[in-house]
Amino acid sequence: MARNVLQSSLLGAGFSIIFQILCRILTFGINAYIVRNVGREVLGIMNVRLLLLESTLLFLSREAINRAALSANSQQREKCSWAQLINQMWLTVPICAALCVPCLYIWLHWLSAVDVPYSAQYEFACYAVALSCVLELVAESTVFVAQVFCFVKLKIVLNTLHILVRSAIFLWIVTGDRSAAINAFAIAQLSSALTIVLGQYGFFLFYINRFNDFKLRQQTRKTKTVQAPNSWERSLFDHMDDFPFTKLSQLLPGVLSCSGGEPWLNRELQTLTLSFVKQGVLKQILTEGEKYVMSVSPVLSFGEQATYDVVNNLGSMAARFIFRPIEDSAYFYFTQTIARDTRLSKQPQERVRQASSVLNNLLLGVSSIGLLAFTFGQSYSHTLLLLYGGEDFVAGGLPQRLLQWHCLAIYLLSVNGISEGYMFATNTSRDIDKYNYLMAIFSISFLVLSYILTGIFGPVGFIFANCINMLGRILYSTRYIWHQYQPLGLNPLQGLWPGKLFGGTLVLAGLACYWYRNAVFGTHMGIGLAAGVLCLVAWALAHRDLMLLGWKYGRRIKIE
């Protein structure tokens, strides 16, 4: 496979960041409209209860299967045929359908009841969300193929279309009838899932037909004079000699035949998948643990849940916009670069050094972003929340305290995402099984801490529990990285320290902003803008080599 995996990973991260920022702005705008016009209780039902159902179904159905399939990279493809990979991805559909039964029963009968005015809409929405998850996974095989063959722009375009369709349909219904907000949410979920399925299969129908025509013309050129492919065709079809599909139906299960009497599913891949399944359940608890606690135990009302969720979403903007796309692209890059079952000393040293350099730069970049968020979040949380939700929303000071503490979680989240992602991408099945036991301890302790600290500190206790949990996971994953690279004389963990110049500038900027936090709005914002620019300049001066590297790949993104 001649595709540049590193470049594709960087392109994917870059495009994801840009488009997700644009689309998430729309989502946050809709949430602000609901807070101001519909009510916090409705927002709590939709953003906590219903989105938790969607997250649970999709994560448990596809996360383990997708991660295991990505591990069958170009270095290991001879162990697992494309027919087996496609069959593997289609397992997500029956798994999701099976999970819908217990999850719907729990969401409808076990969790705290929804008030009568919204109970009928809530029941309909639960069924609609479950159906939308099954629909979305019908396209999972095409999503996997697009990821492996680096169709970066397809992913971004369809994700953007997914959000736009969902937002447009929701607003169209709600502006006509505010009391039907939950029904509007359910219909929008179904429509956006259908958009993903039609978009994915529509693209591959177009691509496979054009690729077959392209290959036919290339063969004809050897004997006859045929028009040479244009630049657009070359960008689509160059370095795609290993693309195995000649018709759309081969993306369906059982159509692409296994050669040499191979089994329908690969045994080694199933073993790795089972390891990720155990890990996935625990990771889901860690990721959405506070929502599970809120849903199972009546710690907070739906209105308070909505307040926490709004603040959590605002505080997680960096994770959604920046960290998650970087983590996904980094995981893909490391799975394609580092073999799981071979020591680094026995792998190609050029690849190992490149992986170490990439990991160092990733840790440096995300930790710097996390430090910026923590520094400025202490002085500008109240301003941001006031602009977002109005005076009534910030009354009492709870939203401000939540966001200020959440800024600490942002820093820990940035480091944990990259370090743990690298560990998952390079661990053997045995290592993953060992880590599962530790994840079980993390999960149980997180739930216990959430319940105890919430009783002591209120909603802020969720953030404290999350910070303690992430700190433990960071210590484990960084220890793994240090032991892996230490025999080679490499230390990618140096990226965790952004340098004295940047660190000192952050301290001064944070003190200045905090001193002027009660100044008039113009002065307050002006000081923050000047301090932010000063911090960015200090970072750029301290890391000129990384700036040059970013400029180089930025130009490639622009050209592409």
Side-chain angles (χ1 to χ4, degrees):
M1 191 183 296
R3 290 172 295 281
N4 190 322
V5 175
L6 176 58
Q7 181 180 345
S8 297
S9 300
L10 291 170
L11 286 171
F15 279 122
S16 293
I17 291 169
I18 294 170
F19 280 95
Q20 284 201 37
I21 287 175
L22 296 176
C23 294
R24 290 296 178 177
I25 287 174
L26 180 60
T27 302
F28 280 112
I30 292 174
N31 287 346
Y33 172 82
I34 296 173
V35 168
R36 292 172 179 263
N37 297 281
V38 180
R40 297 188 197 181
E41 186 173 1
V42 172
L43 185 64
I45 294 171
M46 292 190 304
N47 282 13
V48 176
R49 186 68 64 82
L50 293 175
L51 286 185
L52 181 62
L53 174 61
E54 180 193 40
S55 169
T56 301
L57 288 173
L58 289 180
F59 190 93
L60 296 182
S61 300
R62 71 182 177 192
E63 180 75 4
I65 290 176
N66 183 266
R67 283 185 175 270
L70 281 175
S71 299
N73 59 26
S74 58
Q75 302 175 55
Q76 303 160 329
R77 185 59 46 76
E78 68 277 1
K79 298 180 181 179
C80 187
S81 68
W82 268 107
Q84 292 173 327
L85 286 172
I86 294 298
N87 295 338
Q88 173 89 357
M89 301 312 297
W90 271 94
L91 289 177
T92 58
V93 177
I95 289 173
C96 184
L99 287 172
C100 284
V101 177
C103 284
L104 283 173
Y105 183 81
I106 292 170
W107 257 251
L108 291 173
H109 301 288
W110 280 16
L111 301 185
S112 55
V114 175
D115 292 341
V116 174
Y118 307 111
S119 57
Q121 292 189 51
Y122 171 72
E123 183 176 354
F124 167 71
C126 284
Y127 285 110
V129 167
L131 179 59
S132 71
C133 291
V134 176
L135 266 177
E136 186 172 335
L137 292 176
V138 168
E140 192 63 18
S141 63
T142 60
V143 172
F144 173 73
V145 172
Q147 189 172 6
V148 170
F149 287 96
C150 304
F151 291 111
V152 175
K153 295 179 183 178
L154 172 67
K155 175 184 176 182
I156 303 306
V157 169
L158 289 183
N159 285 348
T160 304
L161 187 62
H162 161 74
I163 293 173
L164 290 176
V165 168
R166 185 175 64 185
S167 303
I169 292 177
F170 177 80
L171 286 175
W172 176 59
I173 298 175
V174 169
T175 51
D177 183 6
R178 293 181 183 178
S179 64
I182 299 177
N183 281 338
F185 175 87
I187 295 171
Q189 287 290 115
L190 284 170
S191 302
S192 60
L194 189 60
T195 301
I196 291 177
V197 174
L198 294 177
Q200 287 285 350
Y201 282 101
F203 170 80
F204 276 101
L205 177 63
F206 160 81
Y207 184 86
I208 291 173
N209 289 337
R210 293 297 297 265
F211 188 44
N212 289 338
D213 180 63
F214 174 80
K215 290 191 294 184
L216 182 61
R217 284 191 283 118
Q218 290 295 94
Q219 294 173 358
T220 306
R221 284 185 63 195
K222 297 177 181 179
T223 56
K224 300 180 181 179
T225 303
V226 179
Q227 182 180 1
N230 55 40
S231 58
W232 178 77
E233 288 181 318
R234 286 196 297 270
S235 67
L236 275 178
F237 305 130
D238 274 355
H239 311 304
M240 298 294 285
D241 296 335
D242 56 341
F243 189 76
F245 307 102
T246 57
K247 53 186 179 180
L248 185 65
S249 60
Q250 291 176 336
L251 293 168
L252 300 176
V255 175
L256 195 64
S257 59
C258 297
S259 59
E262 290 177 325
W264 204 72
L265 295 170
N266 183 275
R267 180 173 296 179
E268 291 186 20
L269 201 58
Q270 296 306 299
T271 302
L272 186 58
T273 300
L274 289 176
S275 298
F276 278 123
V277 165
K278 303 170 191 174
Q279 190 183 93
V281 173
L282 300 174
K283 186 176 179 181
Q284 178 67 6
I285 294 174
L286 294 174
T287 304
E288 303 283 9
E290 68 273 13
K291 291 185 179 180
Y292 288 118
V293 172
M294 284 188 284
S295 298
V296 172
S297 176
V299 177
L300 305 174
S301 67
F302 279 115
E304 291 172 322
Q305 290 179 30
T307 300
Y308 176 84
D309 184 68
V310 167
V311 173
N312 186 56
N313 284 335
L314 285 171
S316 301
M317 288 176 69
R320 294 172 182 268
F321 296 162
I322 301 174
F323 299 149
R324 185 58 187 269
I326 292 175
E327 290 167 17
D328 289 344
S329 297
Y331 180 83
F332 174 68
Y333 166 73
F334 289 127
T335 58
Q336 306 299 297
T337 306
I338 302 296
R340 289 182 182 272
D341 300 318
T342 308
R343 290 186 178 181
L344 292 184
S345 58
K346 297 182 179 181
Q347 298 188 40
Q349 291 305 295
E350 183 178 354
R351 286 194 176 201
V352 172
R353 284 192 295 271
Q354 185 189 65
S356 174
S357 176
V358 169
L359 180 57
N360 176 84
N361 292 336
L362 286 172
L363 289 172
L364 175 62
V366 297
S367 63
S368 298
I369 296 170
L371 289 172
L372 282 169
F374 177 74
T375 300
F376 289 94
Q378 306 311 306
S379 303
Y380 290 90
S381 294
H382 180 270
T383 304
L384 177 61
L385 292 168
L386 180 64
L387 294 173
Y388 185 83
E391 289 283 356
D392 291 339
F393 182 70
V394 297
L398 175 61
Q400 179 182 345
R401 292 196 302 274
L402 283 170
L403 188 54
Q404 285 175 329
W405 281 107
H406 206 290
C407 291
L408 173 61
I410 289 174
Y411 171 73
L412 297 174
L413 183 67
S414 66
V415 175
N416 179 69
I418 296 300
S419 61
E420 196 173 66
Y422 174 85
M423 183 177 68
F424 291 157
T426 58
N427 265 350
T428 63
S429 298
R430 181 178 297 178
D431 291 331
I432 293 172
D433 284 332
K434 289 179 181 178
Y435 188 63
N436 286 337
Y437 293 106
L438 189 60
M439 286 282 281
I441 297 173
F442 283 140
S443 301
I444 295 170
S445 62
F446 174 65
L447 293 177
V448 173
L449 280 173
S450 295
Y451 193 84
I452 294 173
L453 295 178
T454 302
I456 299 173
F457 301 104
V460 180
F462 284 124
I463 300 176
F464 291 162
N466 200 24
C467 289
I468 295 171
N469 182 270
M470 280 192 291
L471 183 60
R473 291 161 64 185
I474 288 170
L475 292 175
Y476 186 89
S477 58
T478 51
R479 179 177 175 273
Y480 167 83
I481 293 170
W482 186 83
H483 278 292
Q484 193 178 38
Y485 281 97
Q486 191 265 340
L488 303 178
L490 300 172
N491 186 17
L493 296 178
Q494 289 177 342
L496 291 174
W497 172 239
K500 295 180 180 179
L501 177 61
F502 180 62
T505 307
L506 276 178
V507 173
L508 294 176
L511 292 174
C513 292
Y514 191 78
W515 181 266
Y516 286 96
R517 70 188 185 281
N518 295 321
V520 295
F521 182 79
T523 303
H524 180 56
M525 297 303 294
I527 293 293
L529 180 62
V533 171
L534 185 62
C535 289
L536 292 176
V537 170
W539 191 93
L541 291 174
H543 307 99
R544 297 183 184 89
D545 53 342
L546 194 55
M547 289 294 294
L548 291 174
L549 183 64
W551 173 260
K552 172 185 174 182
Y553 281 102
R555 286 178 60 85
R556 290 191 181 183
I557 291 175
K558 185 177 180 181
I559 293 172
E560 291 288 335

